[in-house]
Amino acid sequence: MRRFLRPGHDPVRERLKRDLFQFNKTVEHGFPHQPSALGYSPFLRLMAIGTRSGAIKLYGAPGVEFMGLHEENNTVMQIHFIPDQCQLVTLLDDNSLHLWSLKQHGGASELLEEHRFTLKGPPGSPPSATQVTAVLPHSSREVLYLGTESGNIFVVELPSFRVLEDRTITPEAVLQRIPEDNCNRRSCELVEALQEHPKNPDQILIGYSRGLIVLWDLQNNKATHHFLGSQQLENLYWQRDGSKFISCHYDGSYTQWPVSSDNRQPEPLENTVPYGPFPCKAISKIYWQTTKNGLPYIIFQGGMPRASYGDRHSISVIHGSQQTAFDFTSRVIDFFIIFSSDPAAEFDDPSALVVLAEEELVVIDLKSAGWPAVHPPYLASLHCSAITCSHHVSNIPLKLWERIISAGSKQNIHYSSMPWPIDGGTNIAPDPPQRDLLLTGHEDGTVRFWDASGVCLHLLYKLSTVRVFLTDADPNDNMNTLGEDEWPPLRKVGTFDPYSDDPRLGIQKIYLCKYSGYLAVAGTAGQVLVMELNDEDAEHVVDHAEADLLQDQEGYRWKGHEKLKTRDGPVRFEAGFQPFVLVQCQPPAVVTSLALHSEWKLVAFGTSHGFGLFDHQQKRLVFVKCTLHPSDQLALEGPLSRVKSLKKSLRQSFRRIRRSRVSSRKRRGGGGNASEVQEANAKFDQDALQEMELAPVQRKIEARSAEDSFTGFVRTLYFADTFLRDSSRHCPSLWAGTNGGTVYAFCLRVPPAERRMDEPVRAEQAKEIQLMHRAPVVGILVLDGRSTPLPEPLEVAHDLSKSPDMQGSHQLLVVSEEQFKVFTLPKVSSKLKLKLTALEGCRVRKVTVANFGSCKADDYSENDLAVLTNLGDIQIISLPFLKLQIRYPCIRKEDVSGIASCVFTKYGQGFYLISPSEFERFSLSTKWLVEPRCIVDMPEVTSNNHVHNKSGTENAARKS
């Protein structure tokens, strides 16, 4: 009767759960998706980036990050910091203005939106009358000047956003001071630029799109000078001493204008078309930076010859005889220059050029010879080639960590050594308790190693597998350098390169053993590479082996892509992970599962056709197992259209229903007793219903992918030292789970170390389990006599884990998409199960074992299952009793790519892609939490404009 009683509420366990589990989305790693605006505060030394989705992100020194989100989710068009304040103003594409502040709240500091405002015109006026085109925060910190499409300049009080109507600068007022023969009413339409005089805050420069430029006296409310340009104006920039300013134009020219003390009509000093004489694109922004040696830096965006280079995204830097046009692979959003912000300084002395492109942030060192790029500590372009898979490794040993960093530093010799120039604030987050790696596989055949220990996701090392294969691209091609006589002097910068030489190079699976330094990567064309870490460059032959997963079965013909061609002879590899053996699966289908056991020197791999085991010490194939079912012809056709596979699935379902009807009629006609006929009818009804429901459920995008229809598709591989034949002897084993709900278990005989090279590894199939519900197997786990998951290979040898209990009976946990099931070993009899499909039809997408420590008691921790479902929920399930502990909504169920990209860590954290270029980091643990904590200095500005530092206040950067 006890099993029918409802379990009572256990307050002790509920209290313990609160000490163990807590869900937080902590930080976003990577590059903001679809950036649209850029701002910089020389006062705070903070940079702000706005996006098309209405997000705004602030960055300073590594670890100093803030984020806010506009409720409207409109595109951020402009960002302007209020001078000498911890405030900024954003302009959205719906013409609304928003005031943000960094303020303390509850002992921490947040980026808070304080006010919002939309400029409104008189009744009946057209929208262009108040459509803001230019924003100037005045140095008085009291007002904003807003230029509009109509030519009016409105003055708005801060922080109230009250319009000071009596101070509005109208086109009529401007035209009163300009001779009639020089311009007309249309000359004052659309304010293109507003710039405050660097030495006199009572004067502002107004630039209109048709070329008229006016110097306006704010005290006397009149124009003191006017400048008539012959071309459409794009932007303005004051020189530091205020004696001259620069205007840039639509025809690719820029002009220097003197500002005299009298009221004489000024004439341009110089008009230059840098890349003329042929028609050029517009110069949209320009800087003129003075230096001690007298030669200025002229830095501008655009201006390329239209006919030959009109499609280039460039920023040019001219300094004396030195000129370079930096060529970006994505559209330039905006840029700024970091230079001396001391008002008493005589020269600008620029130090760095910071460029926000659509797909990456690039910083150029202007102090060093050759103007090299600076390696960014954050805002990494994760999607420089599309991410195809991820793999997280926790608690990396120090020796391996240092060797990876050393290999990466040899790759970064072409980067500048200057410190990161955007260094506002101070990171006061505690040092990460351990070293974590996040490995990302990419479409171009590279694997990138990221430092995922703290707030900043920093690139440590990049591994390329391309050298092993013959591709159309020559690795010696250098796109960055051109001959000395080339004009324009273009130089490619940045790492974003979305084009892959061959899609078959794409990395699909990664497995790193942190103890031995062995790395296995597998790709799209059935290639499996085993590598080891080498601290020096080396040249050697990569051994090849083929694994025929079809085992020469007749009637099967592969219709997909060919395998990659390999290079003959020795191949030169740079320091780092170097491949020493290549296993090529035949047919060359996508590798769907991978496992590496570095203690036994074995690597297992699976595709949609079967799986195999390779001995990478003896470089010998141990065995292959074909998992294809006769009906799995789909697995041999390569990439399929959804329509084709759906039609075939429906056809097969109706045929099975028809056969079932015929067989049931025969059974009924054969004459049996009433109960047998009733059972047969019931079975038929159930089977028919299942068949009719099968295809639609399989085709729901949130439930199954197209690959799920392959029953032989190998989803998971797992090595374990456990009891497989009898309860008295344990042995090495390999387990494989398929899409059709089948689990294969192989006994392995691995020779002892002294005879390891003399005797072959032998394998023999010991078990085959068919799950009744035939749902895809997504995870396999063996629990020891203490119901603890078996340790990783070499973990016990490094004294980082207790030896597994081999005295008590072991248990096998099989996780399918629909249920969790525990079997006893070695008999494989069902002991316990938990069904998920009864709850809202959810299915398991990802599962891993995570260790959760108590935030109250340092000596208590437990192992649980972290499970991600197709609904985007994360569930924590206890081991070994399979009790649901807690459930958190994490990812939108419509975000299929986000769910597919999710990867859990060993200590209850996780990552998933919220865009092609950004990982969202989350934590399920109360103990392991990585989030920004920083101090932002609050400088105090005195009346004479000298900057002093006041004591900093502690800030915890949390998302609004």
Side-chain angles (χ1 to χ4, degrees), residues 473-735:
D474 185 352
N476 296 320
D477 285 348
N478 193 345
M479 300 292 290
N480 294 333
T481 57
L482 293 171
E484 292 183 3
D485 299 329
E486 293 286 345
W487 189 261
L490 289 164
R491 189 176 109 200
K492 187 176 180 292
V493 288
T495 58
F496 179 72
D497 184 9
Y499 306 107
S500 172
D501 297 331
D502 192 329
R504 296 175 296 173
L505 290 167
I507 305 298
Q508 297 296 329
K509 295 291 174 184
I510 307 170
Y511 197 104
L512 171 67
C513 175
K514 61 186 178 184
Y515 304 112
S516 64
Y518 282 115
L519 172 70
V521 296
T524 304
Q527 70 271 28
V528 180
L529 285 162
V530 186
M531 313 185 186
E532 58 185 343
L533 194 54
N534 191 343
D535 298 328
E536 302 295 334
D537 293 4
E539 187 173 357
H540 60 258
V541 175
V542 179
D543 291 295
H544 296 175
E546 284 213 351
D548 181 10
L549 295 173
L550 294 182
Q551 298 175 307
D552 300 323
Q553 295 192 36
E554 296 181 0
Y556 291 99
R557 187 168 62 87
W558 171 247
K559 301 175 186 177
H561 48 242
E562 295 181 354
K563 69 176 183 179
L564 285 160
K565 294 179 180 177
T566 54
R567 295 183 183 273
D568 296 326
V571 181
R572 183 157 190 83
F573 299 102
E574 56 187 17
F577 285 95
Q578 300 173 352
F580 61 90
V581 67
L582 164 67
V583 183
Q584 178 63 56
C585 298
Q586 290 289 10
V590 174
V591 177
T592 58
S593 54
L594 185 70
L596 176 72
H597 200 294
S598 47
E599 189 174 357
W600 300 337
K601 305 291 193 296
L602 299 174
V603 60
F605 48 88
T607 71
S608 54
H609 308 119
F611 60 96
L613 181 66
F614 186 81
D615 178 353
H616 65 76
Q617 183 166 3
Q618 292 189 9
K619 298 174 184 175
R620 169 184 167 273
L621 188 66
V622 179
F623 78 90
V624 292
K625 170 72 176 178
C626 180
T627 56
L628 272 182
H629 190 269
S631 64
D632 276 350
Q633 287 296 328
L634 290 178
L636 294 161
E637 296 184 11
L640 290 173
S641 70
R642 292 293 289 257
V643 177
K644 183 177 178 183
S645 58
L646 178 57
K647 285 180 179 177
K648 190 160 186 176
S649 168
L650 288 170
R651 227 176 10 246
Q652 290 171 345
S653 296
F654 282 117
R655 283 175 183 166
R656 284 196 288 268
I657 293 171
R658 206 175 294 123
R659 284 198 297 270
S660 299
R661 283 174 179 163
V662 172
S663 61
S664 65
R665 286 196 200 104
K666 287 180 180 177
R667 285 197 298 271
R668 285 199 294 271
N673 58 37
S675 62
E676 288 176 349
V677 173
Q678 191 174 355
E679 280 182 18
N681 286 339
K683 187 176 189 308
F684 161 70
D685 291 339
Q686 186 180 1
D687 290 346
L689 185 63
Q690 285 179 350
E691 292 296 336
M692 290 176 71
E693 290 178 349
L694 178 62
V697 170
Q698 281 184 344
R699 298 301 162 185
K700 279 185 182 177
I701 193 165
E702 73 271 16
R704 293 190 185 276
S705 65
E707 293 171 332
D708 287 354
S709 59
F710 309 153
T711 58
F713 183 106
V714 180
R715 292 285 290 267
T716 183
L717 291 163
Y718 177 70
F719 285 107
D721 186 358
T722 187
F723 300 94
L724 197 54
R725 292 198 177 279
D726 55 58
S727 56
S728 59
R729 289 179 299 171
H730 57 88
C731 66
S733 62
L734 172 66
W735 301 76

Side-chain angles (χ1 to χ4, degrees), residues 35-40 47-50 76-81 285 333-336 354-356 361:
S36 56
L38 177 69
Y40 178 68
M47 172 180 65
I49 295 176
V76 180
M77 302 299 292
Q78 296 183 35
I79 301 174
H80 300 273
F81 281 88
K285 188 173 181 178
I333 304 297
D334 201 355
F335 73 98
F336 62 84
V354 181
V355 183
L356 176 67
L361 183 82

Side-chain angles (χ1 to χ4, degrees), residues 424-444:
T426 306
N427 178 23
I428 60 163
D431 291 335
Q434 59 186 31
R435 295 168 292 274
D436 289 353
L437 274 180
L438 179 66
L439 282 67
T440 53
H442 296 264
E443 193 179 44
D444 61 355

Side-chain angles (χ1 to χ4, degrees), residues 356-382:
L356 176 67
E358 199 166 36
E359 305 291 354
E360 61 185 329
L361 183 82
V362 178
V363 178
I364 305 295
D365 177 4
L366 297 177
K367 289 287 190 184
S368 301
W371 299 333
V374 182
H375 193 55
Y378 49 72
L379 286 174
S381 183
L382 298 175

